[in-house]
Amino acid sequence: GIQVEQSPPDLILQEGANSTLRCNFSDSVNNLQWFHQNPWGQLINLFYIPSGTKQNGRLSATTVATERYSLLYISSSQTTDSGVYFCALDLRSNTGKLIFGQGTTLQVKP
Amino acid sequence: SAVISQKPSRDICQRGTSLTIQCQVDSQVTMMFWYRQQPGQSLTLIATANQGSEATYESGFVIDKFPISRPNLTFSTLTVSNMSPEDSSIYLCSGGGGRGDTQYFGPGTRLTVL
């Protein structure tokens, strides 16, 4: 089956620092989403990005589908950015079902 | 976008009992799914909730343990049956337009089985 690998698994930042999270995948995809899971367990949609680049405030994401990876950039990090970041994929052969990576746990220190 | 609510938000249950979790979407969605997130782990798909017919289960999940209903396009339930401590997890429902479409998630139900 498809492999979804996220790196790094854990990341500690000082407030104000920038970071890049990576998601590698082993097959063609219909859909790629980035989520932030806050400390209360809520999954928040960050980006729907099967290809190309999108930006939303301090966050941006780029997916290079032909090379099978996606990057999530966090600039000027804040303590509220702490939590787990997941990428999730919908395979071309499936219908809406998402396969999740193992996540990157981010801690931003004041 | 879709706004999804779940009830209950959390529960503590005794071994051998069952719990039914409700998922409500504020608009009609084509697809609804149920996921499990075990402590410290990522999310794993349990099943696709099919409107008016039996759910489609992923490998490792069976209807007797996780019966699912979806009577219409905005509502679904997941029952965790004959619970054991290994069932302690967060259970999340999601909804969206289908293949290649954005999926939205409910806030999750945090289940602890004693």
Side-chain angles (χ1 to χ4, degrees):
Chain A
I2 190 171
Q3 302 295 318
V4 183
E5 296 180 354
Q6 290 188 241
S7 60
D10 300 282
L11 185 60
I12 300 174
L13 296 176
Q14 207 63 38
E15 196 169 30
N18 303 328
S19 64
T20 301
L21 282 57
R22 187 176 181 103
C23 174
N24 291 336
F25 46 95
S26 60
D27 204 346
S28 300
V29 296
N30 265 335
N31 172 10
L32 188 148
Q33 293 183 232
W34 282 96
F35 295 91
H36 175 216
Q37 188 170 41
N38 64 25
W40 296 271
Q42 172 78 57
L43 268 178
I44 300 166
N45 287 62
L46 297 177
F47 294 102
Y48 168 82
I49 188 163
S51 64
T53 298
K54 291 186 177 180
Q55 180 154 7
N56 184 4
R58 295 181 296 104
L59 303 181
S60 64
T62 295
T63 297
V64 184
T66 53
E67 297 186 22
R68 299 181 180 171
Y69 72 88
S70 183
L71 302 174
L72 178 69
Y73 305 95
I74 304 174
S75 64
S76 303
S77 59
Q78 301 175 356
T79 56
T80 53
D81 294 332
S82 297
V84 184
Y85 290 81
F86 290 104
C87 70
L89 314 175
D90 175 12
L91 299 178
R92 288 197 180 279
S93 59
N94 285 341
T95 307
K97 297 191 282 187
L98 293 179
I99 299 171
F100 280 75
Q102 289 304 303
T104 292
T105 301
L106 173 63
Q107 181 182 0
V108 181
K109 294 186 173 182
Chain B
S1 66
V3 177
I4 301 179
S5 59
Q6 286 184 232
K7 288 194 298 187
S9 59
R10 59 177 60 233
D11 208 341
I12 301 174
C13 300
Q14 295 298 319
R15 182 196 297 261
T17 62
S18 298
L19 176 71
T20 296
I21 303 168
Q22 298 180 4
C23 177
Q24 179 74 55
V25 189
D26 69 340
S27 58
Q28 291 186 351
V29 290
T30 304
M31 309 297 295
M32 290 184 75
F33 303 93
W34 287 96
Y35 291 81
R36 180 177 73 181
Q37 186 178 24
Q38 295 176 300
Q41 303 296 313
S42 185
L43 281 77
T44 300
L45 180 65
I46 298 172
T48 303
N50 299 310
Q51 191 248 331
S53 64
E54 191 171 289
T56 305
Y57 291 84
E58 298 300 306
S59 175
F61 298 96
V62 295
I63 188 171
D64 290 346
K65 177 67 176 176
F66 298 102
I68 289 170
S69 76
R70 187 180 175 193
N72 56 53
L73 290 176
T74 63
F75 184 79
S76 178
T77 66
L78 167 75
T79 299
V80 186
S81 303
N82 188 24
M83 289 183 285
S84 67
E86 292 71 35
D87 294 320
S88 297
S89 297
I90 300 174
Y91 293 86
L92 301 99
C93 70
S94 75
R99 182 176 174 176
D101 198 8
T102 303
Q103 290 291 317
Y104 297 92
F105 281 79
T109 296
R110 191 179 296 268
L111 171 63
T112 301
V113 184
L114 302 178

